[in-house]
Amino acid sequence: MSGTVPLRSPRARILLHAGGDSTSAAADIAEHLGPCRNAVFLPYALHDHDAYVASAQEQRDGPLGIQLRGLHTFPSPVKAIASADAIVVGGGNSFRLVAALHRLNLVEPIRAAVARDVPYYGGSAGANVACPTIRTTNDMPIVQPPSLSALGLVPFQINPHYVDPLPPELQVGETRELRLLQFLEENDVPVIGLREGSWLRIRGETAELRGGSGALLFRRGRDTETLRPGADVSHLMAVEPRFDSPEEST
Amino acid sequence: MSGTVPLRSPRARILLHAGGDSTSAAADIAEHLGPCRNAVFLPYALHDHDAYVASAQEQRDGPLGIQLRGLHTFPSPVKAIASADAIVVGGGNSFRLVAALHRLNLVEPIRAAVARDVPYYGGSAGANVACPTIRTTNDMPIVQPPSLSALGLVPFQINPHYVDPLPPELQVGETRELRLLQFLEENDVPVIGLREGSWLRIRGETAELRGGSGALLFRRGRDTETLRPGADVSHLMAVEPRFDSPEEST
């Protein structure tokens, strides 16, 4: 079982936010989406789609001045993606979101749009589904998607809302770091632990870590690497992800 | 897509621990497993099975004096379950664990053993897989199981390591409570949020909350209920779980 084959388009324009407050990303988001007039919003990560679009619209009316229309309001979501000039994917529960992408047959249409040069903006769950799989989500598997494979807009995995270990007296269960090291036991795929206040800006084969809070890079067999704000992570756009390692013992 | 049909055996003997330190459960565990001489241990939730069995054996040598043999060391795990006089399932990653249960065709043999009266002990991930599904696990989906359906030894869901919301300055991402309320948006199945230091003792159709830390009971359309130590939760053994609610809007 593997993830979606990475897209690798020289024309791709992608912004992936860690989630939480995105105020500090406003200038980058405006530059990314500002000129668009037919942006569609995917509200599938939350239960109440109309309410979610209304609340997203409210936020966007402020700094961005961009109109968003909920993809669920179109007679054909597939056709709506084909004619959209921007794709915005909201956060919430990644399992619910990826289940909708599969159920509505949206994976290939979204990949085709991004390959063409339609900008993609995803925050939190919207960043999870931009990866080959949602295997590094923090979310609870409240529904069963037919597959954990996702959009594969980038060839690596992202863990949004990355948190450093808490003091022992507050830590319950595994640290995020341990969870990601367990992911690497099973899969040979780099993971960027993206702290809130960080985001990735991708243009074709180049990728840059933006925002002020930095990130961590986890790779099998290597020490965890600290990524500082502004780090060039373009080398990760060339990796070959390998899921379900043959080393798994049963 | 639904969960495994609940077992409902008058002879079932099941102990499900929230995870974390199980010292306070030692007397109940000894009473549950003490007389057993052919206990098998399922180490599939962690990557290194031999090391996990060794470490579990070390703990059990202390208060319990019970020998455990790793199920992975038997030529036929299915036959080993059939001749075991106790089944002990260790914690770790629930996705990895349930994937192994399906891959090794262990679901029906374990259900048959428990129906017969073989005691089952599961901590953390071992408690998750005793439920109809693992949809209320806290774990990261590092592997893709063929199904999130699990053993169905009880008809309700458990959220192990339940944590109350942190102060806002420490809370990153959704609270556990919000995650479970999102589960109830999609599924009409009661969930026991089991705090560390709590466990459930099930005998046939009776179920009791044991330990000192209590639990919360989440049900669709009802206020969250506080369960105090010693609470009789036998009424939950009679529920009819409904997964993937028809109310899901798409």
Side-chain angles (χ1 to χ4, degrees):
Chain A
M1 195 80 63
S2 62
T4 303
V5 173
L7 181 68
R8 306 193 199 281
S9 163
R11 304 177 71 184
R13 294 185 289 151
I14 302 165
L15 216 57
L16 303 176
H17 195 277
D21 185 357
S22 62
T23 307
S24 63
D28 273 15
I29 298 173
E31 190 253 335
H32 191 61
L33 300 176
C36 303
R37 290 290 167 266
N38 291 301
V40 294
F41 180 77
L42 278 66
Y44 304 112
L46 292 187
H47 188 69
D48 186 335
H49 302 160
D50 288 334
Y52 195 10
V53 174
S55 121
Q57 189 60 67
E58 215 163 272
Q59 288 177 34
R60 307 285 163 193
D61 277 345
L64 300 175
I66 175 177
Q67 289 296 312
L68 294 169
R69 182 169 163 193
L71 190 58
H72 69 297
T73 66
F74 288 87
S76 164
V78 167
K79 284 186 191 163
I81 291 287
S83 61
D85 64 1
I87 297 169
V88 178
V89 183
N93 182 284
S94 301
F95 290 86
R96 193 151 50 180
L97 175 58
V98 89
L101 295 181
H102 290 295
R103 187 174 58 244
L104 301 170
N105 297 309
L106 293 173
V107 172
E108 285 310 321
I110 293 174
R111 284 166 60 90
V114 175
R116 223 166 42 230
D117 78 354
V118 173
Y120 178 101
Y121 176 76
S124 189
N128 277 129
V129 297
C131 302
T133 74
I134 61 161
R135 294 190 191 195
T136 51
T137 179
N138 308 309
D139 296 336
M140 189 171 275
I142 59 174
V143 299
Q144 173 158 348
S147 168
L148 302 180
S149 295
L151 296 170
L153 305 183
V154 295
F156 51 84
Q157 291 288 127
I158 293 170
N159 176 248
H161 307 274
Y162 181 81
V163 282
D164 299 286
L166 290 170
E169 67 276 16
L170 289 172
Q171 184 74 46
V172 175
E174 295 90 350
T175 61
R176 189 69 58 82
E177 179 185 35
L178 178 60
R179 292 170 190 270
L180 295 175
L181 295 176
Q182 289 184 334
F183 168 82
L184 291 177
E185 288 173 350
E186 305 294 336
N187 308 281
D188 189 2
V189 186
V191 187
I192 295 182
L194 209 53
R195 293 194 188 94
E196 293 194 354
S198 289
W199 62 96
L200 293 170
R201 187 171 66 181
I202 292 147
R203 294 286 179 274
E205 290 165 7
T206 69
E208 182 185 347
L209 177 64
R210 306 277 293 172
S213 55
L216 294 177
L217 175 59
F218 299 88
R219 304 191 75 161
R220 176 181 282 186
R222 304 196 194 181
D223 288 342
T224 302
E225 206 176 308
T226 298
L227 300 176
R228 295 187 193 289
D232 181 348
V233 290
S234 302
H235 59 293
L236 294 179
M237 295 299 290
V239 298
E240 295 290 343
R242 295 185 187 190
F243 291 90
D244 276 352
S245 75
E247 290 83 49
E248 186 186 0
S249 57
T250 56
Chain B
M1 194 80 65
S2 61
T4 302
V5 174
L7 182 67
R8 306 193 200 280
S9 163
R11 305 177 71 182
R13 293 186 289 151
I14 302 166
L15 215 58
L16 302 176
H17 194 278
D21 185 356
S22 62
T23 307
S24 63
D28 273 15
I29 299 174
E31 189 254 333
H32 191 64
L33 300 176
C36 303
R37 289 291 166 266
N38 291 301
V40 293
F41 180 78
L42 278 66
Y44 305 112
L46 291 187
H47 188 69
D48 187 334
H49 301 159
D50 289 335
Y52 196 10
V53 174
S55 122
Q57 189 60 68
E58 215 163 273
Q59 289 177 33
R60 308 286 162 193
D61 278 346
L64 300 175
I66 174 176
Q67 289 296 313
L68 293 169
R69 183 168 163 194
L71 191 59
H72 68 297
T73 66
F74 288 86
S76 165
V78 167
K79 285 185 189 163
I81 291 288
S83 59
D85 64 1
I87 297 168
V88 178
V89 183
N93 182 284
S94 302
F95 290 86
R96 193 150 50 181
L97 175 57
V98 88
L101 295 181
H102 290 295
R103 187 174 60 243
L104 300 170
N105 297 309
L106 293 173
V107 172
E108 285 310 321
I110 293 174
R111 283 166 60 90
V114 175
R116 222 164 45 230
D117 78 355
V118 173
Y120 178 100
Y121 176 76
S124 188
N128 277 129
V129 297
C131 302
T133 74
I134 63 160
R135 294 189 192 195
T136 51
T137 179
N138 309 309
D139 297 336
M140 190 172 273
I142 59 174
V143 300
Q144 173 159 347
S147 169
L148 301 181
S149 295
L151 297 170
L153 305 183
V154 295
F156 51 84
Q157 290 288 128
I158 292 169
N159 177 248
H161 307 276
Y162 181 81
V163 282
D164 299 286
L166 291 169
E169 67 274 17
L170 290 171
Q171 185 72 46
V172 175
E174 295 90 352
T175 62
R176 190 70 58 81
E177 179 186 35
L178 178 61
R179 291 171 191 271
L180 294 176
L181 295 176
Q182 290 185 333
F183 168 81
L184 291 178
E185 289 173 349
E186 306 294 336
N187 309 281
D188 190 2
V189 187
V191 188
I192 295 182
L194 209 53
R195 293 194 187 94
E196 293 195 355
S198 288
W199 62 96
L200 293 171
R201 186 171 67 179
I202 292 146
R203 296 283 179 274
E205 289 164 9
T206 69
E208 182 186 348
L209 177 63
R210 306 277 294 171
S213 55
L216 293 177
L217 174 58
F218 299 88
R219 304 190 77 162
R220 177 183 281 186
R222 304 197 195 182
D223 287 343
T224 303
E225 206 176 308
T226 298
L227 300 176
R228 295 186 193 289
D232 180 347
V233 289
S234 302
H235 60 293
L236 294 178
M237 295 300 289
V239 298
E240 296 290 344
R242 296 186 186 189
F243 291 90
D244 275 352
S245 76
E247 291 81 52
E248 186 186 2
S249 56
T250 56

